[in-house]
Amino acid sequence: MDLTRANGVVWRNRALLLFDRIPMPVAVCDVYGAIVLANPAMATEWGETPGRLRGRNVLDLFRPQEATQVERIAQALRLRHRSRYPISVRWEAADGRRRHGELTAEPVSDSAEASTALLVMLRVLGACPGTTEPAAPPVGATEARILALLAGGATTAQAARETGLTVDGVTYHLRRLSERWGAATRTELVARAYALGVLTPGVWPPTAVPAP
């Protein structure tokens, strides 16, 4: 493997790592809306792993409230316009609750001649009118602190030092949280914490939501 190719692989792996750690639900779709790549936060909305969303159509998962919005995006793609187009959507989340939000599709490509893909981002606005948000599973102050540290990139050893626990103690809390939330990886665990409102979205460094 030559140096240029090796550097390309490294940068691709770094980009995928950053993509996976974005707390907002994000997916890359083809021009027909089929999901090519989804991050754990997007998969969490459906109680799935990112790989199991591959190939599914984003407009089958999220129901547009106005069909004209979808046509507007299709027209923009035909004209190769490059700007964001929000769609108001509703869906039934993994917990069975109906939620609503805003799906933003941004056409992206390497060149004007290349086939255009869609970068799709979901802004969750909450439960649909007439429904109530499920209460987040109980999370203690120590567990919330550990989750915030992990979201900021801390290792198990670093989290142990920051919380005054042993490495085994941090691992114990993470294992219990993973079992409680059905998370297979730490990335999914952090995504679930954001989805359940345990961590404050849009804040850096990551911070736990204060207990009521």
Side-chain angles (χ1 to χ4, degrees), residues 3-19:
L3 184 59
T4 300
R5 185 179 178 186
N7 287 338
V9 171
V10 170
W11 280 109
R12 181 176 181 275
N13 289 340
R14 288 179 178 175
L16 288 174
L17 179 61
L18 291 173
F19 180 82

Side-chain angles (χ1 to χ4, degrees), residues 1 8 19 29 31 54 75 77-78 110 133 146 151 174 178 191 195 207:
M1 180 182 294
F19 180 82
C29 304
V31 293
R54 191 174 299 123
Q75 177 67 16
L77 286 174
R78 287 193 290 269
D110 293 332
E133 280 288 294
I146 291 172
L174 292 176
S178 297
T207 305

